Amino acid sequence: MMHFTPIRTLAAAAGLLALTLPASAGPKRDAGYFTNLPLVTQDGQTVALYDDLIAGKIVVFNFIYTDCNDLCSFTTARMVQIADWLGDRVGRDIFIYSISLDPVNDTPEKLRAFAAGFGIEPGLGWTFLTGDPADIDVIRRKLGERGDNLYDHRSDMLIGNADRDFWRRTSVMGSLKLATQTILEMDPDWRAPAVSPALIETGDRPATDFIISDRRGEAMFIKICSACHTIGAGVKFGPDLAGVTLRRDHDWLTRYLQAPDILLRDGDPTAVALNARFPNVKMPFMGLTQTDAKDLIFYLGKQLDGLDSTLTSAEADQPAASHDHASHEHTAHDH
Ligand code: HEC
């Protein structure tokens, strides 16, 4: 099994808590329960919580903040995979909302940049929201997000069907297929197909969630890293890691994998240069142990077979735009 303390702890917490809004015995929860407190979208538009965001829709809420060094970018990357599987239902009957837990700092501009880092275009059914801190405090409690500090519950999603007043909470740390299915099940007309090609594969992106591997580094890579990185298939939300064990010193890699945020803060030139190339997505702190890091480096090193051994660090540092796959990955929501 894997050993990343923060993620494991949060995933376990999410599973155990399985928080759900109280069953709707009484009258339907509508604006009277949720309120119509205002929120501001990444485009600066003011919207009313119930009437504009929830009423008549299947909704997915999560909480993020842009200065977050660990789970927020990780969960967002995983939710991109879910959104891909949901396809064009996102923006039609299913709407995703990421609300800032740090509204003072998270201006619409910052949210726009954060979303853009994951190729999430405004107006396509996934909206990032900020607002007045006092309002957001009320809203997150209404949505069952009761964490008293920024580190709580950020791996959870609240999923609901407003018309049916049916609400569930799920984690994006577990099976993404299951999370996707939980969202689809909010639609009473949706029936799980015997074999759902959409759930198994989307376009040419392999459904890495379903691959089982007994090799530790590979299993970790698939579970945690593949949300943002490919090995040889181009830039996703972070650099293509093909050849990374050639272009980077192994001690540096070990330190970077364990504490990318600290290297960046301390002005490590490589960390700073990488961050400048990917300004909107941060390589997250994942609580990896040294053993985790070594297993990952071993796995990454083994993927070199078939790679052009002349790959130089200059080539590897080409800007993202020069990779064919970058534009494909980043326009996943442009339909
Ligand atoms: C949320 C997205 C995300 C996740 C998850 C993630 N990374 Fe990253 N990673 C990045 C970004 C973005 C960068 C570029 C630096 C930056 O902007 O902070 C990066 C940089 C790197 C680098 C440096 C690459 C180079 O060219 O030197 C390595 C190595 C790396 N990541 C490995 C991993 C591994 C291994 C995992 C899984 C344990 C992982 N990353 C998980 C986004 C992510």
Side-chain angles (χ1 to χ4, degrees):
M1 287 309 295
M2 300 174 219
H3 300 281
F4 339 11
T5 313
I7 288 173
R8 190 193 48 202
T9 309
L10 277 167
L16 283 174
L17 293 170
L19 287 176
T20 309
L21 292 181
S24 56
K28 185 178 153 196
R29 268 167 302 217
D30 52 18
Y33 171 83
F34 284 107
T35 78
N36 263 320
L37 285 169
L39 286 162
V40 180
T41 70
Q42 75 262 50
D43 296 319
Q45 199 196 343
T46 300
V47 288
L49 177 63
Y50 188 78
D51 288 354
D52 292 329
L53 302 184
I54 299 178
K57 299 176 170 80
I58 292 172
V59 294
V60 178
F61 282 99
N62 83 328
F63 291 87
I64 52 115
Y65 62 102
T66 63
D67 276 356
C68 169
N69 279 325
D70 46 49
L71 281 176
C72 307
S73 54
F74 179 69
T75 54
T76 304
R78 285 176 66 84
M79 282 172 68
V80 168
Q81 296 198 343
I82 294 174
D84 277 357
W85 284 330
L86 295 172
D88 59 10
R89 293 195 65 161
V90 178
R92 200 174 65 212
D93 52 346
I94 301 173
F95 292 80
I96 305 175
Y97 303 113
S98 297
I99 302 181
S100 171
L101 284 173
D102 186 14
V104 175
N105 181 43
D106 282 341
T107 58
E109 295 72 47
K110 281 203 170 180
L111 292 178
R112 214 156 51 227
F114 183 85
F118 292 94
I120 303 162
E121 308 270 328
L124 292 173
W126 186 342
T127 308
F128 288 74
L129 298 146
T130 183
D132 182 86
D135 292 343
I136 291 207
D137 208 46
V138 173
I139 288 170
R140 72 190 183 94
R141 277 157 216 281
K142 289 290 181 186
L143 297 177
E145 156 65 53
R146 295 193 175 78
D148 281 331
N149 66 55
L150 292 178
Y151 296 94
D152 288 347
H153 288 176
R154 282 170 295 120
S155 62
D156 282 8
M157 296 183 286
L158 178 71
I159 299 169
N161 178 325
D163 285 344
R164 295 168 73 209
D165 192 19
F166 183 47
W167 297 87
R168 288 174 80 173
R169 189 174 279 283
T170 189
S171 165
V172 283
M173 294 308 180
S175 158
L176 291 181
K177 180 187 172 194
L178 210 64
T180 307
Q181 185 158 327
T182 307
I183 296 169
L184 288 168
E185 281 167 358
M186 287 289 144
D187 174 359
D189 296 331
W190 185 78
R191 293 279 171 277
V195 174
S196 166
L199 285 181
I200 291 163
E201 203 165 348
T202 306
D204 55 3
R205 181 188 294 185
T208 45
D209 199 34
F210 310 135
I211 299 168
I212 295 161
S213 161
D214 53 356
R215 280 183 291 172
R216 197 164 175 277
E218 180 176 31
M220 271 192 286
F221 185 86
I222 290 168
K223 175 91 180 165
I224 303 191
C225 323
S226 70
C228 293
H229 292 288
T230 76
I231 308 172
V235 169
K236 199 168 176 184
F237 306 130
D240 187 336
L241 295 183
V244 74
T245 53
L246 295 180
R247 68 177 180 266
R248 305 283 180 228
D249 174 79
H250 285 207
D251 285 342
W252 181 86
L253 274 177
T254 311
R255 283 186 293 126
Y256 186 70
L257 289 181
Q258 289 186 259
D261 50 339
I262 293 190
L263 265 67
L264 185 61
R265 186 201 63 194
D266 292 351
D268 173 271
T270 310
V272 170
L274 281 166
N275 184 248
R277 274 177 57 210
F278 295 85
N280 297 326
V281 183
K282 282 194 198 86
M283 166 75 174
F285 166 78
M286 292 162 283
L288 300 179
T289 65
Q290 196 171 46
T291 312
D292 294 333
K294 293 211 154 113
D295 285 346
L296 282 160
I297 293 165
F298 179 72
Y299 169 69
L300 290 168
K302 276 181 67 172
Q303 308 311 303
L304 289 169
D305 302 351
L307 254 193
D308 185 349
S309 56
T310 61
L311 184 77
T312 65
S313 102
E315 276 164 343
D317 281 336
Q318 292 282 308
S322 71
H323 291 260
D324 284 352
H325 293 264
S327 54
H328 167 73
E329 295 290 357
H330 283 262
T331 52
H333 291 275
D334 285 359
H335 38 235

